[in-house]
Amino acid sequence: MLFDTHCHLDAPEFDRDRPAVVAAARDAGVDRMLVPAVAIANFAAVRSCCERYAGCRPAYGIHPLYVGSSDEADLRALRRYLQAEIDGVLSPVAIGEIGLDFFEAAGNVDRQAHFMREQLRIAADFDLPVVLHVRRAVEAVLGQLRAIPVRGGIAHAFNGSREQAEHFIKLGFCLGFGGAMTYSGSTRIRRLAATLPIESIVLETDAPDIAPAWLGGDSGRARNTPDQLLRIAAVLAELREMPVADIIEATARNACRCLYMTE
């Protein structure tokens, strides 16, 4: 079972062919997907995708790139949404996507930090893991986690140092590896993927973003899709000199463990 731990299946890039995208993923062996929200405005779309497509589970949160258009009422709405959904058929498995982005949104660091703190508190209150956005902000995110402990989760698209990776692991997190790992020039990411404990690694696509090398991702225009996870798993298998089947089994098991889901 392949588990795509980060797939924005609700994104408008999939509006024209979403059923075909999901069917292709199933054909490639992707049986589970975590679909993270980015803002209050897309909570319903995330839930709709998870309701329509078997094996999809939701996470709800406010992404750091969306805090500029969010306010305190949105944080209260997040609490209400979780309360309404927590014991339902499509109970959320995490708070996310939340975190910090010091690359695209470096101008509103204080606001990002406030929204992350408040959402970590919400995660602690609901005893849920978190799905973290950590772009150019790994150390700052770790600082927030030390101040407000949560039930672990996933550090999505990890690109920090070995020492930072070990800190996340000690805090109960798995690290997400996907399209960026497929580029030969991504030496630090590939080294981490090859040498970190396999128990700490999960696979992701971040579809429709972070397209792998074979889709021409350098152009920034390629649409990524969840069916690419099989080839991403094969890259990890090559880096670690392991059978692909073992990579698939281990990473799916890791995802279920860190999201407190049954296999």
Side-chain angles (χ1 to χ4, degrees):
M1 174 187 75
L2 277 164
F3 194 144
D4 187 346
T5 61
H6 207 101
C7 178
H8 294 284
L9 189 61
D10 67 300
E13 288 88 342
F14 297 128
D15 284 352
R16 71 180 186 274
D17 62 347
R18 190 171 287 108
V21 167
V22 174
R26 299 287 183 253
D27 289 345
V30 182
D31 293 321
R32 288 198 178 179
M33 301 181 207
L34 178 63
V35 185
V38 296
I40 294 293
N42 83 317
F43 282 13
V46 166
R47 191 188 190 287
S48 177
C49 280
C50 294
E51 187 175 34
R52 181 172 181 181
Y53 301 108
C56 294
R57 294 297 299 275
Y60 299 112
I62 301 170
H63 190 290
L65 295 184
Y66 288 79
V67 302
S69 57
S70 303
D71 56 26
E72 298 301 310
D74 290 340
L75 292 168
R76 293 191 293 271
L78 171 58
R79 281 188 179 273
R80 290 194 301 272
Y81 206 91
L82 292 168
Q83 192 63 58
E85 295 287 317
I86 198 70
D87 294 321
V89 176
L90 289 174
S91 177
V93 297
I95 304 296
E97 178 178 356
I98 69 172
L100 301 172
D101 190 310
F102 292 172
F103 179 70
E104 289 191 47
N108 64 350
V109 170
D110 290 344
R111 188 168 182 81
Q112 287 187 54
H114 170 70
F115 271 80
M116 184 178 178
R117 283 193 300 272
E118 292 305 309
Q119 290 181 96
L120 289 176
R121 292 186 178 109
I122 291 170
D125 289 347
F126 283 88
D127 196 26
L128 286 171
V130 295
V131 176
L132 295 172
H133 181 101
V134 300
R135 194 176 188 193
R136 302 279 180 92
V138 175
E139 199 59 41
V141 168
L142 281 169
Q144 296 251 24
L145 292 171
R146 294 186 187 105
I148 307 174
V150 294
R151 202 184 185 192
I154 297 171
H156 150 62
F158 186 76
N159 188 20
S161 67
R162 176 79 187 212
E163 182 180 10
Q164 290 167 332
E166 290 171 352
H167 283 308
F168 272 110
I169 294 167
K170 288 177 183 177
L171 291 171
F173 283 80
C174 284
L175 309 174
F177 290 88
M181 177 184 64
T182 67
Y183 292 87
S184 60
S186 298
T187 54
R188 178 167 63 177
I189 295 174
R190 289 164 71 88
R191 185 165 56 250
L192 287 170
T195 60
L196 285 171
I198 188 60
E199 295 80 12
S200 67
I201 292 175
V202 296
L203 293 174
E204 61 179 40
T205 60
D206 198 25
D209 299 318
I210 314 185
W214 51 84
L215 292 183
D218 281 338
S219 69
R221 295 188 295 272
R223 184 184 74 158
N224 195 8
T225 50
D227 61 301
Q228 301 304 315
L229 198 68
L230 179 57
R231 288 187 67 179
I232 290 171
V235 171
L236 181 60
E238 182 178 357
L239 290 172
R240 298 188 69 93
E241 299 181 346
M242 291 175 62
V244 176
D246 291 352
I247 289 291
I248 291 171
E249 179 183 0
T251 55
R253 183 171 60 246
N254 297 342
C256 291
R257 185 188 72 248
C258 71
L259 294 171
Y260 298 89
M261 296 172 59
T262 56
E263 293 188 43

